[in-house]
Each structure stands twice: as C-alpha cells, then as structure tokens.
Amino acid sequence: MKKQLMKRAALVMAASMAAVSLMGCGSGAGDKKTDTTAAESSTAAAGANDSTAAGTTEASKEPVTLRFSWWGSDSRHQALLAVIEAYEKKNPNVSVEAEYQGYDGYYEKIMTTLSSNTAPDIIQLSKEWLPDIQGAKHYLADLSTLPVDLSTLKDNLLEISGTYRGEPNIFPCTVGGSTIVYVNTDFAEQYGVDLTKKYTWDEIKELGKSIHEKDSDVYLMTADADMLNRLYVQPYLAQITGKPLIDEETYTMNFTEADAAAAFRNIEELYSTNTIEPFGEAAAFAGQADQNMKWINGKVGMIVDYTGSAPKYIASIDSPLEVIPLPVIENAKTSGSIYGGDRGYAINDNSANKEEAAKFLDFLMNDPESIKICKTDVGYCPTKQSDDILIAEGVISEVQKKAVEVSAENSYTNNMISGNTELEVVRKDLIQEVIYGDITPEEAAKELVEQYQEILDELKTN
C-alpha cells in the first residue's frame, strides 16, 4: 500500500512509459563543533568509510566528471553552483555538471533516467519517493558504504528522513518541525505566561480566559483556518493516538469518531473561552499572522506555526521572541509535532564514480565552506555543526535553532496519505462550521469519519 499512493501521484503527474516501467519492476514496500573540527571530522570519516581510499592517491587524480541534478528556486541554484565551483577549485581533477530546474516535471525526469540507466551521479530526491525507487530496484547507493560522514546529521534525522528498509539512501538537506508556539516575552511577563511550563490544552484555555477577562481587547492566541486545521486539530488527534491520521498500509483511520469530536470540541472551547482571537478578525491576516496588528501591538501573545516561520515572527515585533512546545492533552502519546526533513541527496547506485560522488556530497553537506555558501537556501541546518556556523554568520537565530530542537521532542513521523488534499479540505471546512456554530463537535466528527471513509475507499482502489 505504501507504493499505491505514490503510483497514483506519478500517474496524475505524467503517463511516462519509462516511469511506469520503473515502478512496475518490483513490489516495494552532538556535540557542537568549531568550523575546524567539523572539517576534520568530515575528512576523517571519509577516509574511514572508504575502503579503497588508502594507496589510491594517484587514481584519485584521474579526471572525473560527475552529474548533479536538483530542483529549486533561483537562490538554491546559485548556492549550489557556488558550491560546485568551490569544490572544483579544491579538486581540479573533478568536473561537476549541474542539471537543475523547477519542481514541475522533475519527478518524471528522475524516474525516466533511473529506469533507463542514464540517471545523474548525485540526485536530489523527496523522501516520499523512496518506496517507488528502492522498492522497484536498488537504484540508490547505501551511503553507509561510501565516504560521506553520516554521523554529522542531527539525532534520528537519517532514520526518519533518509532510510529505506534499514538502509541509508538519502542525506537529508533540511530539518524542521510542524508545530511550535512563538511567544511575545513582554506579553508573557505582563500576563503571567510561564515560559518554562509545558501547558496542557485545558491550562491554556484557563490562562486565555483569565487574560481576556483582564482586558477585553487582548487574546492569548490567534489562528487562521489553515493553522487550525494543520497545527491544532491534526496534532490533537496525533496526541491521542500517537500516529498519523491515516494508516498508509490499510488506508484506514487511526482515530475514532470520539477522538475527532474531542479535537473539534477543543477548537470550540478555545473560542468560547476567548483564548483565541475571533475567527473573523484573524481571517483578515490569513497566511500572514506576523502582520496581524494585535500581534504587532502586543494584544496577542502566542502564535502556533512551523519552525521555518521563526524569522518573520522575530522581525514582526520589538519584544524578544521565545518558543515553547505545543499544548498537549493529558497523557498525550506524542507532542503532536511532525519532525524531520522532506528532501535530500542520494547517490546513483549505477554510477561509475560512486566514491567521487560521495566525496562531493560530503563536501556539500559537511564542509564549513559549503555550509556558509548554502546558508539556508538549500535547506535548514540538518547537521549538528550547521547551526553553530550559521548563527556565527548571522544567518539564523538562536530562536529558530531552539524551535527545531523543541519540535523534535516526543515528535512523530507523518506519512504521505495523511496530508492528502481532499482529506485536508474536509477537515478545514468542518472546523469552520464548528466555529460558527452551524454544527456541534459531535456532528462534525460524524461527518468527518463518513467523508474520510468515502475518500479513502476511492484512494485504495486507484
């Protein structure tokens, strides 16, 4: 079943015969370091991992051409081109040919080149493509056998975002979390928000009610429809079950109707206690909560958002910013935060130059010079030393670093089907009906389960 959804996505994107052929081939199922020590660690690991490195100095000087493929924006293109230039200066015998584009059509191109044995040596991939690629055939190299230091990655990131059937195939190039609470520290001091406390949802509602009673123009939180959908209801259900919304093997819901009713009831109570700013007022700043005038003027004290949103919230207010974990239910099985990286770099297992490709990948992801060049244009700090290097460079803040660290605590790993657009639209519409009092949380839960079942039945048969 893991492959089924990806097959469906591939067919929707393009009916490439090569891609179909590829997917039909099988049944798939630290310590802080200074710049100097980071470089030494990377070099030492490369030598240790490369069983043929000793005594092959002359061979390594032979001309080598590597092909490197990726997708992204212009800023990512420019960063990676600069990394290639820096690497070629240090390794004059190596030429790296860049093959880059936007996201559209990239998946189909990679599927085609893999199946026809014309794939690049180094390939940017989404972690969600691993079942289709490695499940069909062993197209991607086992990175643990090559001279690339995997130990630099943040704890559990490789297992969560780069491993398929126990084998590391992707070096994640970014990391983040889905839910973190950004707090205005001046607001916290004025209204008694304890920044050291891990709040439950009930405690947050009590606090929000007391704050609004002191000043009817002040609210503890604000949220738009998308935030309520992805950062309140979905995490709440994960806190109950400890799992993603949907089981990707059976296409069944991991939550009950009663669980859904509790999640909707939590939203209803957040508004009835005046913990959250009225929905209609927040809607004016949908997708741009950092521009909400109540937040800017200190009349709203908390915003739940992704870890990658830290820079805009830091810039939006004069008060220092702090981060705390998402509120949880009693006896929560998980924090409700999704932690990991959605993409990274792999080595073509059929490459004639796997060793050299791995050395370039090691430079790209682990060398301090490359980290300084890439900044966050390639991804947010997947390695332990990248935080320290980029904080020293003034590229990222301690707040964002802490946000990622906090989001990782007791987090869970999501799957592709749980983020299905049809499912999200159903949930989002029902949340708004509950807010406006058109239906009760219990009625919303019943409707949610019924509509989800219809969608899942259809997805399962396609």
Side-chain angles (χ1 to χ4, degrees):
M1 284 304 174
K2 286 184 179 180
K3 283 189 62 189
Q4 189 65 38
L5 188 60
M6 290 305 299
K7 282 185 179 180
R8 183 171 184 267
L11 291 171
V12 169
M13 290 190 283
S16 165
M17 290 303 295
V20 172
S21 174
L22 168 62
M23 291 183 283
C25 289
S27 56
D31 294 330
K32 296 181 180 178
K33 303 177 183 178
T34 64
D35 291 6
T36 302
T37 57
E40 289 172 353
S41 173
S42 177
T43 303
N49 290 338
D50 185 0
S51 60
T52 64
T56 59
T57 305
E58 292 303 318
S60 68
K61 293 181 180 178
E62 292 295 320
V64 174
T65 298
L66 301 173
R67 293 167 54 210
F68 176 22
S69 179
W70 73 84
W71 82 81
S73 62
D74 186 61
S75 62
R76 186 181 301 170
H77 300 334
Q78 296 307 312
L80 291 174
L81 289 172
V83 169
I84 290 172
E85 182 179 0
Y87 188 77
E88 290 177 338
K89 284 182 179 179
K90 290 186 173 184
N91 301 272
N93 65 306
V94 180
S95 175
V96 182
E97 296 180 352
E99 302 175 9
Y100 54 94
Q101 63 178 71
Y103 183 78
D104 289 345
Y106 183 87
Y107 174 88
E108 296 82 14
K109 183 185 82 169
I110 292 303
M111 289 298 190
T112 300
T113 58
L114 284 168
S115 65
S116 61
N117 198 26
T118 58
D121 302 279
I122 307 107
I123 316 167
Q124 179 178 321
L125 296 174
S126 166
K127 72 170 184 178
E128 294 173 342
W129 302 343
L130 269 177
D132 272 352
I133 296 173
Q134 289 298 79
K137 187 177 177 181
H138 199 277
Y139 284 102
L140 307 177
D142 180 346
L143 295 181
S144 67
T145 67
L146 295 170
V148 55
D149 188 359
L150 303 175
S151 69
T152 62
L153 284 161
K154 291 178 177 176
D155 293 344
N156 299 320
L157 182 57
L158 182 64
E159 291 76 11
I160 292 170
S161 302
T163 299
Y164 182 70
R165 291 181 173 173
E167 183 179 279
N169 300 126
I170 292 179
F171 193 117
C173 65
T174 189
V175 66
S178 64
T179 45
I180 198 72
V181 183
Y182 295 100
V183 186
N184 179 324
T185 57
D186 289 342
F187 181 101
E189 183 178 356
Q190 181 176 357
Y191 292 102
V193 179
D194 186 350
L195 298 176
T196 66
K197 183 178 176 63
K198 293 184 177 181
Y199 283 96
T200 65
W201 284 111
D202 287 342
E203 289 170 338
I204 279 291
K205 285 177 279 193
E206 291 175 6
L207 179 61
K209 180 180 180 180
S210 67
I211 288 173
H212 185 73
E213 287 174 347
K214 293 176 182 175
D215 188 334
S216 61
D217 196 37
V218 175
Y219 298 89
L220 180 59
M221 312 173 86
T222 186
D224 60 35
D226 284 324
M227 288 174 165
L228 293 168
N229 187 20
R230 297 173 181 170
L231 306 179
Y232 285 72
V233 170
Q234 184 172 347
Y236 194 99
L237 289 170
Q239 290 172 4
I240 295 173
T241 67
K243 302 175 182 178
L245 293 176
I246 310 298
D247 185 295
E248 63 182 350
E249 296 289 346
T250 62
Y251 281 53
T252 56
M253 286 165 271
N254 282 325
F255 61 90
T256 66
E257 185 176 314
D259 295 336
F264 285 126
R265 193 177 306 112
N266 185 54
I267 296 297
E268 182 184 58
E269 291 171 353
L270 285 167
Y271 281 99
S272 66
T273 57
N274 292 306
T275 299
I276 294 187
E277 176 187 23
F279 182 76
E281 295 178 22
F285 302 97
Q288 46 188 8
D290 59 305
Q291 299 180 33
N292 185 317
M293 294 309 298
K294 283 189 178 296
W295 166 256
I296 293 172
N297 294 329
K299 300 296 184 179
V300 163
M302 292 182 176
I303 297 179
V304 180
D305 211 332
Y306 298 97
T307 58
S309 298
K312 70 178 184 180
Y313 291 119
I314 292 171
S316 65
I317 58 175
D318 294 330
S319 168
L321 202 66
E322 184 57 274
V323 292
I324 62 173
L326 185 73
V328 294
I329 63 170
E330 293 286 352
N331 302 314
K333 294 182 179 178
T334 175
S335 68
S337 178
I338 301 167
Y339 173 81
D342 60 357
R343 64 187 186 278
Y345 300 105
I347 302 293
N348 178 359
D349 201 33
N350 291 320
S351 168
N353 299 294
K354 284 194 290 186
E355 300 283 331
E356 290 295 339
K359 291 174 185 176
F360 172 76
L361 176 56
D362 190 68
F363 176 82
L364 169 62
M365 297 309 303
N366 290 323
D367 192 279
E369 180 182 2
S370 177
I371 292 170
K372 291 176 183 178
I373 291 172
C374 290
K375 299 178 182 177
T376 57
D377 292 321
V378 171
Y380 178 82
C381 300
T383 61
K384 298 167 187 174
Q385 72 268 28
S386 55
D387 283 302
D388 298 323
I389 292 171
L390 295 184
I391 286 174
E393 291 286 302
V395 174
I396 63 170
S397 67
E398 290 284 358
V399 170
Q400 190 166 9
K401 177 184 177 183
K402 182 176 179 181
V404 174
E405 291 172 349
V406 171
S407 72
E409 296 176 8
N410 196 26
S411 59
Y412 76 103
T413 303
N414 204 20
N415 55 36
M416 184 178 178
I417 191 173
S418 295
N420 176 271
T421 302
E422 292 179 83
L423 299 177
E424 287 203 337
V425 168
V426 169
R427 198 167 65 246
K428 181 177 173 180
D429 288 346
L430 290 171
I431 289 169
Q432 293 179 76
E433 290 187 55
V434 169
I435 292 171
Y436 286 118
D438 296 332
I439 56 176
T440 66
E442 291 71 26
E443 291 169 338
K446 185 174 185 297
E447 184 68 22
L448 180 77
V449 169
E450 290 176 355
Q451 292 194 47
Y452 267 30
Q453 192 61 61
E454 291 179 8
I455 295 170
L456 292 170
D457 288 343
E458 182 181 351
L459 290 172
K460 189 175 182 178
T461 58
N462 289 333

